[in-house]
Amino acid sequence: MKAFAYVNPTTEQAAVEALRNGGIVRPLAGGQDLLARMKDYIDQPDRIVNVKNALDTTISSTPDGDLRIGAAVKIIDLVEHAQTSTLYPAVTMAARDVGSPQIRHQGTVGGNLNQRPRCWYFRQEEFLCFKKGGNRCFAVDGENQYHSIFGNSGPSKIVHPSSLAVPFVAYQARFRVVSASGEREIPASQYFTLPTMETVQQENVLAADELLTHVILPAPGNLKSGHYEVRFKESRDWPMAFATVLLTTTGTTISAARVVLGAVAPIPWRSDTAERALVGKSLTAQTAVAAGEAAVRDARPLEKNGYKVQITKTAVERAILQAAGIQTA
Ligand SMILES: Cc1cc2nc3c(=O)[nH]c(=O)nc-3n(C[C@H](O)[C@H](O)[C@H](O)COP(=O)(O)OP(=O)(O)OC[C@H]3O[C@@H](n4cnc5c(N)ncnc54)[C@H](O)[C@@H]3O)c2cc1C
Ligand code: SF4
C-alpha cells in the first residue's frame, strides 16, 4: 500500500480544510469500502481525512419538522432510531438489511451513500475500465449478471451500491454538503449521476473538496410505505434488486405514488411507469401486479442479467402489497 498522511480533525471546518491541497485526498468514515479499495490497489490516496470525529453523529428533529441525520451516524443507530422507524419505515427497513451486524456497527450513513460500485472489474486492479480512466467497459461483453437493466446506455453499466439512497430518494431527502467555501443542499434525486464520458469516474455530484454532512428528511405526511429486497437466500451481500414504494391514498384510491428501484441502475431509479400504473387505482393485489409489470416495461437487460427483470417486478409488487398491509410470502 502506498504511504499516506492521516489527518484526524474534530470539526466540520477543519475536515473540509484538510480535504484541500493534499494531492489525492479521501474522507474516511467506517473505512469498510475505502480501506478495501486501498488494499486492492484501486485507490491510492496521498492523504486520508478521518471524518468520524468531525461530522455529526446524531439524529435530530428540526423546528420545521424535518429529521436531520448526521453523516457520521452509524447504520445501526439509524436502524434503532425510534422516530425514523415510525415516520420513515422504509429507511429503517433498508438500513436493517445492510450487510451483517458487524457492517452496520462499523458503516456510516455518509460512507454508505458515497461507497463506490461493486462491479468486479472495477474492484480488480488489472481491469482498467472507463471508471478508472481506461477506454472500455469490461461488463459489456463480460460477466454482467449483477449489472444494470435501466439507465445502461452510457459508458458504465454499474448498479448503485447504496441501499439507503433508494428510500432517501423516495422520501425526497435533501443532502447537506460543505466545502471550505460554503455549503449547499442538494435534493437526493439530483445527487447521484448517470455515467457519461465526462462523469463516468464518479457516481455523484460531490466535488473532491466537499463533504456530505447531513441527510435531511422532510415531514412525510400520511404515507403508506413498503420496501422489499430480493437477495440470495440468507445472504449478507448486497441485494440483487429492490424497491421502495410510498403511497398516498384517499379512501381506497391511490392519489399519489413514488416508486424507486435499487440495484438495477447506476442511480436510484424512479419508476414513473409504475407510478402511473398506481395513481387513480384501488390499492389491491391486482393493482400491485400491474404496477410491477409496468415498472419493468422499459428495462434493457444485458446478456446475463435478464433474470433481474422478473425479480424487479416481484420487488415492486411485494413492496406495494406491504404498503397495502396485504400479506406477502
Ligand atoms: C459484505 C458486505 C455487505 C454489504 N452489504 C450492503 C448492503 O446490502 N447495502 C448497502 O447499502 N451497503 C452494503 N455494504 C456496504 C456498507 O454499508 C458500508 O457501510 C459502506 O460500504 C461504507 O461505509 P463506511 O462508513 O465504512 O465508509 P468508508 O469506507 O469510510 O467510505 C466510503 C466512501 O465514501 C467516502 N465518504 C465517507 N464519508 C463521506 C462523507 N461524509 N462525505 C463524502 N464522502 C464520504 C469515502 O471517501 C469512501 O470513498 C456492505 C459491505 C460489505 C463489506
Ligand atoms: S460497469 Fe463500470 S465499473 Fe464495471 S467495468 Fe464497466 S465501466 Fe468499469
Side-chain angles (χ1 to χ4, degrees), residues 119 121-122 129-131 137-139 147 155-158:
C119 170
Y121 299 111
F122 175 71
C129 69
F130 283 131
K131 211 166 246 311
C137 170
F138 294 90
H147 290 73
S156 174
K157 318 296 175 194
I158 61 149

Side-chain angles (χ1 to χ4, degrees), residues 179-252:
S179 70
S181 50
E183 64 176 80
R184 57 182 178 137
E185 271 187 17
I186 307 164
S189 58
Q190 290 168 28
Y191 186 78
F192 305 98
T193 48
L194 280 172
T196 63
M197 283 313 288
E198 292 70 42
T199 63
V200 65
Q201 290 192 50
Q202 60 185 90
E203 292 79 48
N204 56 52
V205 296
L206 199 71
D209 66 345
E210 286 182 317
L211 277 178
L212 173 66
T213 69
H214 291 91
V215 174
I216 302 156
L217 286 163
N222 191 13
L223 293 173
K224 294 185 192 307
S225 52
H227 180 88
Y228 193 91
E229 303 193 358
V230 181
R231 297 172 170 269
F232 280 116
K233 199 173 170 187
E234 299 295 323
S235 165
R236 303 249 187 244
D237 223 332
W238 280 260
M240 296 186 291
F242 63 104
T244 296
V245 171
L246 303 181
L247 304 175
T248 310
T249 50
T250 311
T252 55

Side-chain angles (χ1 to χ4, degrees), residues 24-323:
I24 300 172
V25 187
R26 299 276 184 256
L28 171 75
Q32 291 180 87
D33 177 31
L34 179 62
L35 299 182
R37 288 186 345 246
M38 289 167 67
K39 287 181 194 167
D40 289 342
Y41 301 104
I42 58 170
D43 207 337
Q44 305 276 325
D46 300 296
R47 182 191 295 163
I48 286 179
V49 180
N50 175 25
V51 295
K52 288 188 293 302
N53 301 316
L55 298 184
D56 195 355
T57 56
T58 66
I59 306 176
S60 57
S61 301
T62 72
D64 300 335
D66 296 339
L67 192 74
R68 210 170 137 94
I69 304 169
V73 166
K74 297 229 170 106
I75 295 169
I76 188 66
D77 294 328
L78 186 60
V79 174
E80 292 175 355
H81 191 254
Q83 201 183 352
T84 303
S85 73
T86 306
L87 295 177
Y88 312 95
V91 170
T92 304
M93 287 186 256
R96 195 186 54 202
D97 283 346
V98 166
S100 64
Q102 291 90 338
I103 289 163
R104 295 191 288 275
H105 276 84
Q106 179 79 15
T108 63
V109 171
N112 184 276
L113 293 170
N114 290 288
Q115 60 179 305
R116 303 296 314 274
R118 303 308 305 177
C119 170
W120 34 35
Y121 299 111
F122 175 71
R123 293 274 158 180
Q124 298 217 15
E125 188 194 358
E126 55 269 28
F127 290 97
L128 188 61
C129 69
F130 283 131
K131 211 166 246 311
K132 291 184 286 192
N135 61 5
R136 62 175 287 201
C137 170
F138 294 90
V140 172
D141 302 315
E143 299 301 322
N144 51 35
Q145 45 271 61
Y146 300 123
H147 290 73
S148 46
I149 58 171
F150 294 102
N152 56 11
S153 59
S156 174
K157 318 296 175 194
I158 61 149
V159 296
H160 200 278
S162 170
S163 297
L164 299 182
V166 170
F168 284 154
V169 169
Y171 283 111
Q172 299 180 299
R174 306 183 307 277
F175 292 170
R176 177 179 176 264
V177 158
V178 294
S179 70
S181 50
E183 64 176 80
R184 57 182 178 137
E185 271 187 17
I186 307 164
S189 58
Q190 290 168 28
Y191 186 78
F192 305 98
T193 48
L194 280 172
T196 63
M197 283 313 288
E198 292 70 42
T199 63
V200 65
Q201 290 192 50
Q202 60 185 90
E203 292 79 48
N204 56 52
V205 296
L206 199 71
D209 66 345
E210 286 182 317
L211 277 178
L212 173 66
T213 69
H214 291 91
V215 174
I216 302 156
L217 286 163
N222 191 13
L223 293 173
K224 294 185 192 307
S225 52
H227 180 88
Y228 193 91
E229 303 193 358
V230 181
R231 297 172 170 269
F232 280 116
K233 199 173 170 187
E234 299 295 323
S235 165
R236 303 249 187 244
D237 223 332
W238 280 260
M240 296 186 291
F242 63 104
T244 296
V245 171
L246 303 181
L247 304 175
T248 310
T249 50
T250 311
T252 55
T253 304
I254 301 163
S255 48
R258 283 198 293 279
V259 178
V260 186
L261 312 178
V264 292
I267 56 173
W269 190 258
R270 182 123 182 226
S271 177
D272 49 4
T273 49
E275 292 174 3
R276 280 200 300 272
L278 287 165
V279 174
K281 306 288 182 341
S282 285
L283 183 47
T284 62
Q286 267 174 328
T287 302
V289 172
E293 277 163 8
V296 295
R297 196 174 297 142
D298 299 331
R300 295 283 174 273
L302 305 170
E303 192 190 341
K304 295 179 179 167
N305 67 2
Y307 73 95
K308 277 199 171 192
V309 175
Q310 177 58 45
I311 61 174
T312 303
K313 198 193 298 185
T314 303
V316 171
E317 184 187 322
R318 291 191 181 180
I320 295 167
L321 293 176
Q322 200 183 75

